[in-house]
Amino acid sequence: MKQRIGLACLVLLTSGLAAQEPADSRLGKPKTYNDYFPWTPPESKASWDTRKQVVREQVLVANGLWPMPEKTALNPVIHGKIERDGYTIEKVFFASLPGHYVTGNLYRPTGKTGKLPAILSPHGHWGGRGKGMNNGRFFEETEAKIDLEIKGGGEKTRVGAKYPLQARCAMLAQLGCIVFHYDMVGYADSQQIPHPGAKANPGENFLDVEAELRLQSFMGLQTWNTVRSLDFLLSLPDVDAKRIGVTGASGGGTQTFILGAIDDRPAAAFPAVMVSTAMQGGCICENCSLLRVDTGNIELAGLFAPRPLGMSGANDWTKAIETKGYPELKKLYALVGKEEDVFAKAYLQYGHNYNEASRELMYNFFNKHLKLGHPEPIVEKTFVPVLPKELSVFDEAHPLPKDGVDAAGLRTFMTIQSENQFLKSSLDKVQHEKMLRVALRSMIVDEMPKDGDVEEVWKGEREVKGDLVMRRFLLSRKGLKEAVPAAGVIGKEFDGRIVVWIHPKGIDSLWSDGKLVPEARRIIDGKGAIFAAQVFRTGVEAPPIDAKFPGYFFGYNRSLPAQRVHDILTVLAYVRANPKTASIHLVGFEDAGPWTLLAGGLAGDVLKSVAADANGFDFDQIKSVDHPMMLPGGLKYGGMPSLIGLCAPTDLLVHNAAGLGEIANYRGKIVREEKKRPADDVVRWLMEK
């Protein structure tokens, strides 16, 4: 009977909501990489500067590169020079991490002196993904497809059609550029770890829960290899560091704009057949958790601004780039005073490609922006190809070094390196806290809303129940069509203190036998008010996550705890905006305690005090991606003890903390208790603040 009366009170507080407003938009189908990703450019340069920094940091966190790992010695090996007309080709391998080797070919122009422009060239998924087909840098087109390319006009010569990857490197070298053409992981000579398309167990491809919690991903490894490939290129004495270009197609296009998003060193970038409001990249090597939550490839490419950006499209997911994406990027570049430095062209007569027509577009782009000094238009020259087996970097004299490791060995090193780096950074408490705040903001993909960012999508009438006045609400961030049920309860006397009440039972937890529960009554009797929220999926089982690769879900959708933190921040912002609010106090009960503590870390100076049940939880307890507290990155940054510390300098009560590590050096007043406090005692502590 007690439960029924409680539910009746919930009906009292929420009745009529469904008739007033549609269900929360987040309850629909999860977003995937195949959805629509439009982007609205900012209204001012100042707002873009702020947004750019936030998204850049999100990309770094998502790729496991926040903070940037220690750059260990590359120890490059360059050998096997092959002479060609106007350029040479050398074989290269170096260690991007101890025991993990990047492989590729270095093209250098001959007859040139002084510092030369350089191009970094990731190749993409050429050669297929099946067993024995991941040839990438070794790619050779079939005779039948060569005929089709020539007939369709995409290629003019048989040699260019057969070796399109070599073609662009050879031509750029003939134009006077040093080019490093390197392998994606699992392609050509890079065989220490299989590419995701090949059969591999979850540990080999960073697909398990441990990888998610530590933000170790296949894409993150590939992005790190790209960063280190740029390091290698810039280590060459004849490279002009001010004239660095990057270009790749498809998955190589993804690497092109991701590098541009996180690294200021490239001067110009040309991602081919990848930047789009449509499909965002279908391979595991192009996806990782957190990467595209609340963003997409158009904005990610825009992070390159104001540096010159060129894009090509084809009759694939990029076919609409000239009308969807490019106009918005044009507005962004105008905003930063470089409208003429961005362009896009789609060749709808060709399928997914980096053919001669697109390559010539790229040559002319780099000629202009890297100041190569050639008359235009530039037309691709013929070249003498190198047989794939002759491009291989490993031979008897130059074998894969004996310290080479597989995915398991590499991940062990990555974990140890990350933990050591975390401990070292904690010695500078100010910088350490800043680093953690960026990490938490990126893991939740949210921050405290600004004034005016929260709206009422529905507001009920005032309801009087004895000495209490109640009102029901549905809240949303503006423009997001969310629906967060909330209820305010106030007594006859109110001194401006508002307690934001977060409970796994939501609003229903306020009532028992038709009356306020004692701990809620204590708040009212103490002249405070209560604002309770029914945060996302409270009491509702969440749908299962795609176990094949969690990044396909978490890369486009907030995790369940992140959605709940998002809603708590929405409620806090709404309460803050009330002119009668003197102070805000946040309390989290039972399973809601960890959500509350994470929200406290993002609330800034909004809160006077926080009291929460730690529920004995830390992220090392998670063994499945379907766990209700699954938060990508949860273990990378010291787990709950470190993240709880971000509630500082708010007065903090953390109870039921048995098994939870120490919250060290808290900047503020903190009470940490192993045992669980009774709810009434928790509220008593809160009302003393």
Side-chain angles (χ1 to χ4, degrees):
M1 185 66 181
K2 182 176 181 180
Q3 182 181 7
R4 288 190 177 184
I5 292 175
L7 290 173
C9 291
L10 175 60
V11 172
L12 171 69
L13 286 169
T14 60
S15 61
L17 299 189
Q20 298 291 332
E21 188 70 19
D24 194 317
S25 62
R26 296 173 294 175
L27 295 173
K29 182 181 176 183
K31 200 160 193 175
T32 74
Y33 61 75
N34 272 321
D35 287 315
Y36 181 43
F37 293 80
W39 178 63
T40 302
E43 294 296 325
S44 68
K45 185 178 182 300
S47 63
W48 171 243
D49 289 343
T50 300
R51 174 64 180 167
K52 180 177 181 178
Q53 184 67 20
V54 168
V55 180
R56 169 179 269 202
E57 289 167 351
Q58 182 176 327
V59 174
L60 285 164
V61 171
N63 278 275
L65 303 179
W66 180 267
M68 193 66 78
E70 177 190 355
K71 291 185 175 181
T72 52
L74 293 172
N75 298 322
V77 175
I78 305 174
H79 69 97
K81 183 180 289 186
I82 301 169
E83 301 283 349
R84 285 293 183 266
D85 185 15
Y87 64 97
T88 62
I89 307 171
E90 293 168 287
K91 305 167 186 183
V92 176
F93 61 93
F94 58 80
S96 66
L97 290 165
H100 179 69
Y101 289 88
V102 175
T103 49
N105 293 123
L106 184 65
Y107 292 70
R108 299 189 204 238
T110 55
K112 301 285 185 180
T113 58
K115 296 284 188 177
L116 302 178
I119 307 289
L120 190 62
S121 189
H123 57 69
H125 291 108
W126 308 112
R129 302 182 189 177
K131 184 177 180 181
M133 295 179 65
N134 292 349
N135 44 25
R137 184 167 48 89
F138 299 159
F139 178 70
E140 293 179 291
E141 189 56 275
T142 64
E143 291 300 317
K145 289 187 177 180
I146 291 171
D147 291 338
L148 291 174
E149 289 290 336
I150 298 291
K151 183 178 179 180
E155 298 284 357
K156 297 174 186 174
T157 67
R158 297 194 70 82
V159 66
K162 186 170 185 176
Y163 299 103
L165 278 72
Q166 286 191 47
R168 74 171 182 252
C169 299
M171 183 62 190
L172 285 166
Q174 291 177 83
L175 291 173
C177 299
I178 297 171
V179 183
F180 183 51
H181 188 210
Y182 63 102
D183 295 324
M184 293 170 67
V185 179
Y187 274 73
D189 286 316
S190 179
Q191 295 299 318
Q192 291 176 257
I193 301 173
H195 200 77
K199 290 183 178 179
N201 65 48
E204 286 180 322
N205 274 340
F206 304 85
L207 305 183
D208 55 0
V209 175
E210 180 82 5
E212 287 295 320
L213 290 168
R214 295 190 181 278
L215 293 175
Q216 295 173 354
S217 67
F218 202 96
M219 182 179 181
L221 174 60
Q222 195 146 280
T223 301
W224 178 247
N225 284 353
T226 296
V227 171
R228 299 308 329 260
S229 293
L230 181 55
D231 291 342
F232 163 71
L233 201 53
L234 286 167
S235 73
L236 301 176
D238 47 350
V239 165
D240 183 349
K242 295 181 179 180
R243 290 192 290 165
I244 300 294
V246 188
T247 186
S250 194
T254 300
Q255 281 297 300
T256 297
F257 66 72
I258 289 296
L259 177 67
I262 63 174
D263 200 312
D264 291 328
R265 293 175 293 177
F270 192 100
V273 289
M274 196 63 240
V275 180
S276 168
T277 57
M279 200 277 293
Q280 301 289 285
C283 184
I284 288 171
C285 75
E286 298 174 90
N287 288 275
C288 57
S289 294
L290 311 177
L291 181 61
R292 295 182 180 91
V293 181
D294 285 350
T295 187
N297 287 351
I298 300 297
E299 185 175 40
L300 296 178
L303 298 180
F304 201 70
R307 294 166 289 170
L309 175 68
M311 297 160 287
S312 66
N315 190 16
D316 58 12
W317 55 88
T318 62
K319 61 186 178 183
I321 184 61
E322 291 186 26
T323 57
K324 295 181 179 180
Y326 174 53
E328 290 75 16
L329 288 170
K330 192 83 169 171
K331 290 179 182 178
L332 171 63
Y333 271 74
L335 198 66
V336 297
K338 293 289 184 179
E339 184 176 4
E340 72 285 357
D341 283 350
V342 61
F343 87 94
K345 182 175 177 59
Y347 294 97
L348 301 185
Q349 66 271 45
Y350 309 123
H352 192 59
N353 73 89
Y354 204 170
N355 63 18
E356 187 169 344
S358 299
R359 295 195 300 268
E360 288 181 348
L361 192 69
M362 173 266 292
Y363 302 143
N364 286 278
F365 170 80
F366 283 133
N367 186 52
K368 175 182 178 181
H369 294 292
L370 296 184
K371 299 179 174 58
L372 304 184
H374 297 278
E376 296 184 3
I378 294 174
V379 177
E380 187 170 279
K381 299 177 183 177
T382 189
F383 66 101
V384 178
V386 180
L387 294 177
K389 64 181 181 180
E390 296 175 12
L391 290 173
S392 181
V393 305
F394 298 123
D395 56 31
E396 280 191 25
H398 306 88
L400 175 69
K402 292 181 179 180
D403 68 348
V405 295
D406 60 8
L410 182 63
R411 287 180 58 183
T412 297
F413 171 81
M414 292 167 73
T415 298
I416 293 171
Q417 183 192 54
S418 179
E419 290 176 347
N420 289 341
Q421 187 177 23
F422 185 83
L423 289 172
K424 185 177 180 180
S425 73
S426 66
L427 298 176
D428 185 334
K429 293 180 175 57
V430 174
Q431 291 303 315
H432 185 71
E433 184 174 316
K434 287 181 179 178
M435 179 270 290
L436 280 174
R437 289 192 184 282
V438 167
L440 181 58
R441 182 187 66 201
S442 300
M443 289 154 61
I444 303 298
V445 199
D446 200 13
E447 56 191 342
M448 189 67 197
K450 299 180 177 60
D451 290 342
D453 283 354
V454 174
E455 61 183 352
E456 297 167 353
V457 295
W458 182 83
K459 183 176 181 179
E461 298 296 325
R462 294 173 75 251
E463 303 168 7
V464 178
K465 185 176 175 64
D467 64 338
L468 304 174
V469 176
M470 300 170 289
R471 177 166 273 168
R472 300 160 289 154
F473 305 87
L474 283 178
L475 305 179
S476 176
R477 302 288 176 93
K478 281 188 175 178
L480 296 185
K481 296 183 180 180
E482 298 168 344
V484 183
V489 183
I490 193 169
K492 291 182 178 179
E493 296 184 87
F494 174 54
D495 62 7
R497 290 179 296 167
I498 297 182
V499 175
V500 173
W501 178 287
I502 308 297
H503 195 286
K505 293 182 181 178
I507 298 167
D508 192 34
S509 63
L510 290 171
W511 308 93
S512 177
D513 294 330
K515 298 179 181 179
L516 281 178
V517 295
E519 54 269 28
R521 187 77 238 186
R522 179 178 291 280
I523 295 170
I524 300 299
D525 292 345
K527 300 182 182 180
I530 301 169
F531 201 81
Q534 194 94 11
V535 301
F536 189 70
R537 289 193 179 275
T538 300
V540 179
E541 187 175 355
I545 305 301
D546 183 357
K548 177 185 175 185
F549 176 46
Y552 284 149
F553 178 86
F554 295 123
Y556 298 89
N557 306 275
R558 284 191 184 90
S559 65
L560 185 57
Q563 292 282 24
R564 289 168 168 168
V565 170
H566 172 85
D567 285 355
I568 295 170
L569 296 177
T570 295
V571 169
L572 292 176
Y574 180 80
V575 171
R576 178 186 59 188
N578 189 328
K580 295 182 180 180
T581 300
S583 61
I584 303 175
H585 308 261
L586 179 62
V587 60
F589 299 97
E590 300 176 13
D591 288 348
W595 323 334
T596 303
L597 290 165
L598 293 173
L602 292 172
D605 58 359
V606 170
L607 298 170
K608 174 69 176 174
S609 61
V610 177
D613 183 342
N615 208 31
F617 171 77
D618 205 349
F619 292 102
D620 59 1
Q621 299 168 16
I622 295 177
K623 306 302 178 186
S624 165
V625 293
D626 292 322
H627 192 287
M629 276 302 295
M630 178 63 201
L631 180 66
L635 281 180
K636 181 176 174 65
Y637 297 101
M640 283 299 293
S642 291
L643 300 176
I644 289 171
L646 295 176
C647 290
T650 300
D651 288 353
L652 178 63
L653 166 63
V654 181
H655 63 104
N656 195 14
L660 188 69
E662 288 296 321
I663 304 163
N665 302 313
Y666 188 77
R667 290 191 305 105
K669 296 178 181 178
I670 182 172
V671 177
R672 181 189 182 280
E673 296 175 349
E674 296 282 298
K675 294 183 179 180
K676 183 170 181 171
R677 268 201 191 197
D680 196 54
D681 285 353
V682 172
V683 170
R684 188 194 308 274
W685 179 90
L686 203 68
M687 294 305 292
E688 292 172 353
K689 301 301 168 184

